[in-house]
């Protein structure tokens, strides 16, 4: 191992000084030394291990977490030129994979990123990666990037677009899919109005990797003891949360999801819109629809809830309601979604166990 002695500004060989002392920055000449370092880090940390990753740069599925890396000159890393999407894993099925994959390709076309593979190949890679992970509950995340190449702003130097994906194991999804609802739901959650500027509709309607505004909005909510924040647009309309849509039930029994023209078209919210008419048939709701709703009207609503894959419904704890009590529509929608994730129509549930 060679290392740079910062006192003398000379390269030295042999053992360096104290571990972690940055006067002597180690230089690793061989890949095997670096791999050993990565493996030491993974073995010494309690950080979650990811059961599988796919990288088009490697051209295959990676099971060793210490090798789950992406190139530093990837345009997604240094310029944010990438898009992503997710899908939930529930009891060996990928829920709503096709809708999320369609949204990924839509985001990619808005971001001028061409896919290295056809849609069928992307889907087949995700199914095979998830099978190889042997994970039955959790989620997958996947990215299309302008790709590695150089460090310039122009994507012209990117040699080829890249596709990356990872499996994230989790117990929470299993609980939700078991029909018990998200653990927070029965108690309800707090929400605040975000002071972080919201994204322009062009950026908000695509799922790019630029989630700085979202991360700051989430941090703001947590600092103020809330579960999440809600953006209100320049015209006073309710927009969305930092990683979920929102829905309201008016005093008259109308279920309203803020229209998707300025926010991400969330598939959980769309599924709510497809399932909720059953509550109209049952006489519990008067109507269901996507529409503009002002923050002032939203504050007068009987119920508010966050809606997104991974929740799937988190009811807002209304002021004035006894602790632990949340709205009955939010509870009903949560049960319907959990049932849908567990035993919904075949087209929504993609099996992957058989692929291994
Ligand atoms: C900003 C934003 N809005 C809404 C959603 C909800 O989308 P979905 O229900 O498809 O997960 C997400 C989740 O990815 C999001 O990041």
């Amino acid at each position: 191992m060679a290392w740079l002695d910062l006192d003398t500004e000379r390269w030295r060989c042999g053992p360096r000084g104290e571990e972690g002392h940055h006067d002597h920055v180690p230089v690793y000449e061989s890949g095997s030394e670096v791999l050993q370092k990565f493996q030491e880090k993974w073995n010494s940390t309690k950080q979650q291990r990811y059961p599988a990753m796919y990288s088009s740069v490697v051209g295959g599925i990676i099971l060793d977490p210490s090798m789950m890396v992406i190139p530093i000159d990837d345009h997604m890393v240094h310029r944010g030129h990438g898009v992503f999407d997710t899908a939930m894993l529930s009891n060996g099925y990928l829920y709503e994979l096709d809708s999320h994959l369609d949204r990924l390709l839509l985001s990619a076309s808005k971001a001028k990123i061409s896919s290295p593979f056809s849609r069928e190949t992307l889907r087949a890679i995700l199914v095979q990666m998830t099978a190889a992970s042997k994970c039955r509950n959790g989620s997958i995340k996947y990215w299309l990037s302008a790709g590695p190449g150089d460090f310039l702003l122009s994507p012209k130097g990117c040699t080829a677009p890249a596709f990356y994906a990872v499996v994230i194991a989790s117990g929470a999804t299993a609980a939700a899919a078991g029909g018990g609802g998200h653990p927070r739901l029965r108690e309800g959650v707090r929400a605040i109005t975000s002071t972080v500027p919201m994204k322009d509709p062009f950026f908000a309607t695509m799922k790019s990797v630029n989630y700085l505004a979202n991360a700051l909005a989430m941090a703001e909510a947590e600092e103020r003891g809330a579960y999440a924040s809600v953006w209100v647009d320049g015209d006073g309309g309710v927009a969305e949360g930092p990683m979920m849509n929102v829905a309201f039930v008016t005093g008259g029994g109308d279920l309203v999801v803020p229209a998707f023209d300025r926010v991400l078209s969330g598939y959980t919210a769309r599924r709510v819109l497809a399932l909720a008419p059953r509550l109209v048939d049952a006489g519990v709701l008067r109507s269901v629809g996507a529409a503009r709703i002002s923050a002032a009207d939203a504050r007068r609503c009987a119920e508010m809830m966050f809606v997104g894959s991974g929740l799937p419904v988190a009811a807002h704890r209304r002021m004035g309601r006894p602790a632990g009590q949340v709205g009955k529509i939010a509870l009903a929608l949560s049960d319907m979604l959990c049932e849908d994730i567990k035993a919904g129509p075949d087209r929504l549930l993609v099996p992957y166990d058989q692929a291994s």
Side-chain angles (χ1 to χ4, degrees):
M1 182 181 76
W3 49 271
L4 178 65
D5 185 335
L6 294 183
D7 297 332
T8 60
E9 296 191 357
R10 295 228 167 135
W11 293 101
R12 298 231 176 147
C13 286
R16 68 194 172 101
E18 213 179 304
E19 191 65 34
H21 185 59
H22 285 87
D23 281 352
H24 307 299
V25 180
V27 176
Y28 300 109
E29 283 158 13
S30 77
S32 57
E33 279 180 298
V34 179
L35 175 58
Q36 193 190 330
K37 281 282 159 193
F38 273 134
Q39 283 170 338
E40 281 168 16
K41 285 255 185 269
W42 276 102
N43 292 338
S44 67
T45 179
K46 289 200 171 62
Q47 198 187 325
Q48 183 183 3
R49 282 154 194 277
Y50 307 110
M53 176 192 176
Y54 171 84
S55 164
S56 63
V57 174
V58 172
I61 296 161
I62 303 161
L63 298 181
D64 180 348
S66 51
M67 297 307 290
M68 294 180 184
V69 293
I70 56 178
I72 195 167
D73 65 346
D74 193 304
H75 227 224
M76 181 167 84
V77 174
H78 61 93
R79 303 289 170 169
H81 196 175
V83 295
F84 76 107
D85 224 295
T86 60
M88 280 168 71
L89 307 185
S90 170
N91 294 325
Y93 289 88
L94 279 154
Y95 180 64
E96 287 251 50
L97 175 64
D98 288 292
S99 327
H100 286 91
L101 202 46
D102 288 341
R103 189 171 67 186
L104 177 82
L105 291 171
L106 203 68
S107 299
S109 91
K110 282 186 172 178
K112 297 189 192 295
I113 295 169
S114 54
S115 172
F117 306 116
S118 69
R119 188 190 181 285
E120 299 92 89
T121 304
L122 293 175
R123 190 180 190 275
I125 288 170
L126 293 176
V127 168
Q128 286 176 55
M129 172 193 70
T130 314
S133 78
K134 300 198 166 47
C135 173
R136 289 183 60 78
N137 291 291
S139 61
I140 59 170
K141 278 195 196 299
Y142 37 95
W143 295 261
L144 277 171
S145 155
D150 57 31
F151 283 101
L152 300 180
L153 182 59
S154 163
K156 271 196 233 149
C158 300
T159 46
F163 182 56
Y164 307 107
V166 71
V167 179
I168 304 151
S170 139
T173 314
H182 189 272
R184 288 173 182 275
L185 176 69
R186 309 281 154 183
E187 290 191 6
V189 299
R190 274 196 62 227
I192 58 162
T193 302
S194 180
T195 65
V196 177
M198 71 174 274
K199 290 181 199 171
D200 175 87
F202 177 76
F203 291 107
T205 52
M206 87 170 86
K207 207 164 161 63
S208 84
V209 295
N210 307 124
Y211 261 50
L212 180 58
N214 310 54
L216 292 177
M218 194 53 138
E220 181 185 32
E222 285 169 359
E223 278 156 21
R224 292 174 51 193
Y227 172 69
S229 54
V230 179
W231 272 303
V232 173
D233 65 29
D235 300 328
V238 179
E240 64 181 340
M243 54 167 195
M244 61 282 268
N245 293 103
V246 284
F248 299 91
V249 182
T250 65
D254 303 307
L255 178 73
V256 183
V257 173
F260 299 110
D261 53 338
R262 296 180 181 200
V263 300
L264 192 73
S265 171
Y267 283 103
T268 318
R270 288 200 175 275
R271 201 65 196 132
V272 161
L273 291 171
L275 294 170
R278 288 187 205 159
L279 299 179
V280 177
D281 295 344
V284 186
L285 283 174
R286 185 169 63 185
S287 73
V288 173
R292 186 183 183 281
I293 177 164
S294 72
D297 286 346
R299 284 195 186 94
R300 284 191 286 271
C301 277
E303 292 189 37
M304 172 196 163
M305 63 207 86
F306 289 108
V307 183
S309 39
L311 299 177
V313 173
H316 183 233
R317 189 167 58 215
R318 300 296 301 180
M319 294 214 293
R321 269 220 180 103
Q325 196 179 322
V326 296
K328 64 175 196 275
I329 305 295
L331 283 177
L333 290 173
S334 174
D335 289 345
M336 285 164 95
L337 274 172
C338 288
E339 190 50 35
D340 202 55
I341 293 166
K342 205 167 58 166
D346 284 353
R347 72 190 157 80
L348 300 185
L349 296 169
V350 177
Y352 55 84
D353 277 353
Q354 294 92 318
S356 55

